[in-house]
Amino acid sequence: MNHNPNNAIGVFDSGVGGLTVVRALMERLPFEDIHYFGDTARVPYGVKSVETIGHYTTQIAEFLLERQVKLLIIACNTMAAVSSQVVRDLSPVPVLDVIEAGAVTALSASTSLRIGVIGTPTTINSNAYGRAIHELQPEARIVSQACALFVPLVEEGWLDHPVTRMTAQEYLRPVLAEKVDTLVLGCTHYPLLKPLLQEVAGPGVTLVDSAEAMAERTAALLTERNLHTTARQAADYHFYVTDVPLRFQTIGERFLGRSLSNVHVVKW
Ligand code: DGL
């Protein structure tokens, strides 16, 4: 079912942040069609309960499966942290999530096996990154830190602002004190803070961008399952959202790195 290589890839997130994953996919797999779902009416998920996130995640995955996607990508770290099993249980097509991709990349980047992980409070409380990394490498030492203020700062566009720098210094201090050599950016929004975080962390720390890691993992899975599209014309992109809030276009385009069209509003 739905295993037609020319079907679209389904990508979803709690809002516009997952467009960082779409951007990486567009660059890595330019011929693949993408259906993106962003739950802009109910974002942020990063401070909601596991039960609520599970319920929303099910609704979104079912919506994309009705559109005959060939693969589901959970771009939201928070959803991946607490609801990836819910999606795997209901999906007839392969499911990838940013956490497994980030865990693999973190381990290949780290030589000391001292790895920092930053994310929303729900992602960090779930310890999903810690579990995913330990499953692959039990010796790894994980230092995690919830960074609740980063999502609003990024949405405000304060990517290189003194307030963001001070906030990053404060959040990263305990993580850097543990001498990590790798830092996982465990949230859709954090790739936009990469230059600032790299400066604060210093040159000795490798930042793992979960969006890039996800695009690499997707390319590998399409090869393994023989699911690469045979199309060679410009890909088709559709963006489904549950609300068009103030500054949606500006913020969305900042994440996507290009203009945002084919936006459809879904009313639930
Ligand atoms: N997409 C979320 C994540 O990657 C961040 C925004 C939210 O809290 O919903 O964790």
Side-chain angles (χ1 to χ4, degrees), residues 63-137:
F63 177 92
L64 287 171
L65 288 169
E66 277 165 24
R67 267 143 202 86
Q68 309 297 321
V69 294
K70 64 180 172 185
L71 162 68
L72 279 175
I73 296 181
I74 311 176
C76 177
N77 289 257
T78 302
M79 283 197 248
V82 298
S83 304
S84 72
Q85 199 51 51
V86 173
V87 182
R88 289 190 164 86
D89 288 346
L90 66 83
S91 177
V93 300
V95 178
L96 290 178
D97 73 65
V98 273
I99 293 188
E100 58 177 16
V104 172
T105 312
L107 282 170
S108 56
S110 176
T111 46
S112 67
L113 293 184
R114 300 176 79 85
I115 300 172
V117 178
I118 54 175
T120 64
T122 303
T123 298
I124 297 306
N125 281 342
S126 75
N127 191 32
Y129 270 106
R131 279 184 278 118
I133 294 171
H134 279 143
E135 224 164 84
L136 299 166
Q137 175 47 273

Side-chain angles (χ1 to χ4, degrees), residues 12-18 36 39 42-48 75-80 98 119-123 151 155 185-190 210:
F12 60 99
D13 178 47
S14 54
V16 286
Y36 177 81
D39 195 2
R42 301 187 291 202
V43 68
Y45 282 19
V47 286
K48 290 190 168 66
C76 177
N77 289 257
T78 302
M79 283 197 248
V98 273
T120 64
T122 303
T123 298
V151 167
E155 299 226 343
L185 310 184
C187 173
T188 47
H189 288 56
Y190 303 174
S210 48

Side-chain angles (χ1 to χ4, degrees), residues 150-220:
F150 280 166
V151 167
L153 287 168
V154 169
E155 299 226 343
E156 194 56 37
W158 289 11
L159 306 182
D160 186 23
H161 188 286
V163 169
T164 314
R165 190 171 298 272
M166 274 175 61
T167 308
Q169 283 162 345
E170 195 65 29
Y171 279 143
L172 294 190
R173 188 170 302 125
V175 180
L176 298 172
E178 295 294 326
K179 305 264 176 274
V180 297
D181 71 351
T182 303
L183 180 67
V184 180
L185 310 184
C187 173
T188 47
H189 288 56
Y190 303 174
L192 275 77
L193 293 176
K194 225 168 155 185
L196 183 143
L197 293 174
Q198 188 70 71
E199 271 175 47
V200 173
V205 177
T206 304
L207 302 188
V208 172
D209 176 338
S210 48
E212 279 171 13
M214 191 70 249
E216 279 313 316
R217 180 70 196 101
T218 305

Side-chain angles (χ1 to χ4, degrees), residues 219-263:
L221 182 118
L222 294 183
T223 304
E224 276 161 33
R225 307 276 181 114
N226 236 343
L227 277 176
H228 281 284
T229 180
T230 54
R232 283 299 170 266
Q233 72 268 24
D236 208 14
Y237 304 122
H238 288 274
F239 302 94
Y240 299 93
V241 293
T242 43
D243 189 25
V244 179
L246 227 55
R247 297 173 55 228
F248 166 78
Q249 199 73 21
T250 319
I251 298 172
E253 289 177 359
R254 185 180 302 140
F255 282 97
L256 192 61
R258 61 171 90 180
S259 67
L260 188 55
S261 50
N262 281 346
V263 176

